[in-house]
Amino acid sequence: MRIGVFDSGYGGLTILEQFRALLPQYSYVYLGDNARTPYGTRSFDVVYQYTLQCVKKLFEMDCALVILACNTASAKALRTIQQKDLPLLYPNRRVLGVIRPTAECIGQITQSNHVGLLGTEGTIQSGSYPMEVNKLFPHITVTGQACPMWVPLIENNEHLSDGADYFVKQYIDKLLQNDPAIDTMVLACTHYPMLLDKIKKHAPKHMHIISQGPIIAESLASYLQKHPEIDAVLDKQGDCTFYTTESVEKFKQSASTFLKTPIEAHHLSW
Ligand code: DGL
């Protein structure tokens, strides 16, 4: 069986890349729901329905474990899938998200105890991050800033253009106007590491900028150590297969930019 990695589009590739660097022995199936991206502006119910549909597909493709490498899906669909759908449909399979492991790291990094959260509208509005962070670190103030232009810039391969600087600066400035004491910014959307150079350029020099990939990879490694029953059923041939709900050609081209290496991809039909 394999490990499924799901995102609304290309963003989850920044997580997959770190999985393959830290845990190269496992076999992965990546599914990007590019036909319906972005999820960030969609309602709870729609994100839940789309995510569940994709998780089911990954289970049909023999995934024992699926990582929602998407903050929006983790914020809006993970809990219902874990509590309602899995026990009924797939009691022996697991679905994990990206919010909890990220929240666990934040307390060790901030010194001012003021943290800024950059994410999609859906992730920010869900309030999932402040809730998770404050369960563990009640003294930390979390201020969110939705960045609705960032995912479209990345999905359309415009993230390195000069035009992208305008939107990167705009959201960082807004966040820091709302809380100038922030010393740590979380890139709470798996697409955003693609904008890292520009984010660093427009953020104050002292700012800690957290990308999720390495954090989620460490957390998967420790999950597999603690769950030998899942680890035992996982294939260890180091394969990776890519699926998209949109055009295969477009996916291959963009995913190769994300991963900096050519890949093959397949179309997912429902
Ligand atoms: N990459 C996704 C996330 O981490 C979502 C992007 C989107 O579809 O809006 O939130």
Side-chain angles (χ1 to χ4, degrees):
M1 298 181 88
R2 300 179 286 177
I3 299 175
V5 180
F6 166 71
D7 183 49
S8 60
Y10 301 112
L13 295 170
T14 64
I15 304 282
L16 176 73
E17 196 180 19
Q18 299 294 326
F19 287 170
R20 294 185 76 197
L22 188 69
L23 303 163
Q25 68 274 34
Y26 295 98
S27 293
Y28 300 92
V29 185
Y30 184 88
L31 170 56
D33 192 5
N34 301 79
R36 302 186 293 196
T37 198
Y39 279 17
T41 42
R42 298 188 190 275
S43 68
F44 260 87
D45 198 46
V46 169
V47 173
Y48 162 65
Q49 294 300 343
Y50 287 180
T51 305
L52 179 61
Q53 224 176 357
C54 291
V55 166
K56 282 182 176 167
K57 277 285 171 192
L58 285 165
F59 284 156
E60 280 167 28
M61 289 189 260
D62 227 15
C63 291
L65 172 68
V66 172
I67 316 296
L68 303 185
C70 172
N71 288 268
T72 312
S74 299
K76 294 190 164 186
L78 178 65
R79 186 171 305 204
T80 318
I81 292 178
Q82 282 177 334
Q83 295 179 355
K84 188 176 134 254
D85 302 299
L86 281 190
L88 275 178
L89 300 171
Y90 302 95
N92 298 322
R93 313 275 182 109
R94 295 290 173 266
V95 180
L96 304 174
V98 290
I99 296 180
R100 176 76 190 210
T102 309
E104 282 168 3
C105 279
I106 289 173
Q108 278 114 52
I109 297 173
T110 176
Q111 315 227 302
S112 68
N113 292 325
H114 287 255
V115 169
L117 191 69
L118 298 159
T120 65
E121 275 171 9
T123 299
I124 302 300
Q125 278 164 12
S126 73
S128 300
Y129 267 97
M131 201 176 75
E132 285 297 333
V133 171
N134 289 146
K135 266 191 225 159
L136 302 165
F137 311 105
H139 56 286
I140 292 181
T141 304
V142 181
T143 303
Q145 174 63 49
C147 312
M149 286 302 292
W150 287 8
V151 169
L153 281 171
I154 296 162
E155 291 281 323
N156 290 295
N157 211 9
E158 284 293 332
H159 53 287
L160 300 176
S161 69
D162 290 344
D165 279 277
Y166 174 83
F167 290 105
V168 171
K169 182 170 175 347
Q170 187 186 54
Y171 296 136
I172 291 176
D173 288 352
K174 275 192 193 165
L175 176 69
L176 295 176
Q177 270 159 23
N178 284 334
D179 183 357
I182 290 170
D183 71 346
T184 304
M185 284 185 345
V186 183
L187 307 188
C189 171
T190 52
H191 281 67
Y192 296 174
M194 297 301 285
L195 285 167
L196 188 58
D197 287 346
K198 288 197 191 292
I199 293 170
K200 281 187 184 156
K201 178 173 151 194
H202 295 291
K205 292 286 160 276
H206 68 275
M207 189 66 65
H208 300 283
I209 299 171
I210 304 182
S211 287
Q212 296 177 296
I215 300 171
I216 308 305
E218 286 291 344
S219 150
L220 175 61
S222 110
Y223 180 88
L224 292 172
Q225 253 173 19
K226 286 186 207 136
H227 292 85
E229 75 290 358
I230 302 275
D231 188 62
V233 299
L234 290 174
D235 181 90
K236 312 266 186 334
Q237 292 189 44
D239 290 337
C240 192
T241 317
F242 295 87
Y243 286 89
T244 175
T245 54
E246 243 288 348
S247 140
V248 167
E249 279 316 308
K250 187 165 183 278
F251 185 88
K252 272 164 56 176
Q253 211 179 6
S254 296
S256 305
T257 318
F258 269 73
L259 297 169
K260 296 166 208 88
T261 176
I263 58 133
E264 278 310 313
H266 308 274
H267 186 258
L268 180 95
S269 39
W270 296 108

